[in-house]
Every structure is written in structure tokens, then in C-alpha cells.
Amino acid sequence: MFTGIIEEIGTVRSIQWGSKSAILTIQASFILDDVKIGDSINTNGVCLTVISFKSSEFTVDVMAETMRRTNFQSLKADSKVNLERGLKLNDRLGGHLVSGHIDGTGAITNLKNEDNAVWVTIKTKPEIMKYIIQKGSVALDGISLTVAETKNDTFKVSIIPHTGLQTTLLSKRIGDTINIECDQVGKYIEKFLLNRNANHQQSSIDMEFLKENGFL
């Protein structure tokens, strides 16, 4: 698990393309202080496993499913990527719980300055938008952000200067694709409700139950 608080911007040093997969070697420094083979590193929002490393770089495998789900097809040598190590249980949770499992991608349709912030508008598919709620959390290229506004097929986030400097988000241009991971809670609730309706189950949880157990 991750928090969506980016620790470092890395640089893609090389890509070995397979027919549907890839092997990435990424230059980094800070996050390599305590790296081990098998560690998970969130790379542009994607949870990847370290298969080898040196003092200033690490290498990961990218499977075909990841290539289909993400914007990794657009990576090239010298591309910048957001990096975050796995969450330690004694760390502060500065963002929100991020799994590194991408739900899909969106496209940046507008960038607009407002005083010290930049509004970023992203267009995506209905199957993603149904999980995007105003003031909810979303991870974009691994960055934990708050959804400021939603419409039918777009949503907006507002980027403060610190986030702009510490991540790759504001280096993107209109038309660029971005990896999206929706908040997990909504997906679990949807699955539960769908299964319950399919099995015609009646829940024992009602308003009276909630009152009796101190939830109301």
C-alpha cells in the first residue's frame, strides 16, 4: 500500500520492450536508501516490483496487463516518473490509501492558473467517473489529490505549488494521458451491493440497528 505522497521524481534510463510487456530501468536516489529485491515501488501510480538495483537505479518488470491499463506505452528514455516506496505502518498517512492498481486512464483537457494554484481538468470513461466524487480522493499518476469538481465525463483537481514542484503533473500538456486509481471504498461497496442484490439477500442492518449500536 502507498499514500499518494510522492517521495521523488525518477528518470527512465532504459526500456526493453517485449511483444506486450516491458522492463524498465529508472534512475533514482532518495528512495534507494533502503531498497531490497522484491520491494514494491509506486511508479506513476503503478505498483511495480524491484527485480534488481544499483546505487542510483532500479529495474522492474511491467506485465502486459499493466501496459494495457496504463499510460506506460508513452514512456521513453528520459521520461520523468513519480516514485513512492511502500507505506510503513508507523508512518503518517498524509494522503489516502493507494494500492498501485490502476483502474484506467484519462486525458488532460485543460490547465488553468488561479492565483497560486493550477486547475487540471481530466476526461475519462463512465466506468471511472462513477467512482469520482466531489471532495473525494483520487490518485493521478500516483499522486493523492482531492476531487474539486465533477461533471458528466470530466473532473477537476487543483494543484498547489508544492505538489507541482514535487511531482510530474504540471509538466504534462493538454492531451496527455494520466493513470487513474479510484478510491477503493466505493468499489468495495458497489461489489457488496451487487452481490447482495443478485442473491436477493436482505440486510439485517437498518436504522434501528445503527441506533442500538451507537452509530447514530
Side-chain angles (χ1 to χ4, degrees):
M1 298 298 292
F2 308 92
T3 69
I5 304 300
I6 304 305
E7 296 185 277
E8 181 177 1
I9 296 177
T11 303
V12 176
R13 279 296 166 231
S14 67
I15 306 176
Q16 300 175 47
W17 296 106
S19 59
K20 296 181 179 179
S21 61
I23 299 174
L24 303 181
T25 298
I26 299 168
Q27 180 182 339
S29 56
F30 178 75
I31 65 161
L32 296 177
D33 284 347
D34 58 355
V35 71
K36 303 182 295 297
I37 300 295
D39 279 357
S40 295
I41 295 180
N42 192 318
T43 305
N44 267 10
V46 182
C47 179
L48 298 175
T49 301
V50 176
I51 59 173
S52 67
F53 66 92
K54 298 178 182 178
S55 60
S56 61
E57 64 183 38
F58 67 97
T59 299
V60 292
D61 281 317
V62 184
M63 68 178 71
E65 172 66 3
T66 302
M67 298 299 291
R68 285 189 292 268
R69 287 266 186 175
T70 70
N71 61 7
F72 274 18
Q73 301 95 327
S74 63
L75 289 179
K76 55 185 181 296
D78 294 329
S79 289
K80 303 296 183 183
V81 289
N82 298 315
L83 301 174
E84 181 193 355
R85 291 170 292 184
L87 171 66
K88 293 181 179 179
L89 291 179
N90 62 343
D91 278 352
R92 292 184 178 89
L93 184 60
H96 71 285
L97 288 176
V98 175
S99 69
H101 304 153
I102 302 302
D103 293 297
T105 60
I108 295 175
T109 60
N110 193 39
L111 297 163
K112 182 180 180 180
N113 293 301
E114 183 183 32
D115 198 9
N116 67 336
V118 179
W119 285 90
V120 181
T121 304
I122 296 162
K123 182 176 182 178
T124 189
K125 298 176 181 178
E127 54 263 38
I128 300 294
M129 281 301 304
K130 67 180 179 178
Y131 301 118
I132 305 294
I133 62 170
Q134 190 163 341
K135 304 306 178 184
S137 296
V138 66
L140 301 179
D141 273 0
I143 309 162
S144 175
L145 296 166
T146 300
V147 177
E149 181 181 315
T150 64
K151 292 188 177 179
N152 290 335
D153 60 354
T154 63
F155 65 95
K156 292 182 180 182
V157 294
S158 184
I159 309 303
I160 61 172
H162 177 78
T163 304
L165 290 171
Q166 297 297 318
T167 72
T168 63
L169 188 54
L170 295 186
S171 67
K172 290 183 174 291
R173 300 177 180 180
I174 292 174
D176 283 353
T177 59
I178 194 160
N179 294 325
I180 301 174
E181 181 187 334
C182 304
D183 195 1
Q184 295 184 59
V185 174
K187 291 182 281 186
Y188 279 116
I189 292 173
E190 179 187 49
K191 181 72 170 180
F192 171 78
L193 292 175
L194 287 174
N195 285 339
R196 189 182 69 173
N197 291 338
N199 295 324
H200 304 290
Q201 295 178 350
Q202 294 297 320
S203 175
S204 60
I205 299 176
D206 55 18
M207 296 297 289
E208 192 62 33
F209 175 89
L210 293 175
K211 288 178 182 178
E212 290 177 357
N213 290 274
F215 292 100
L216 294 176

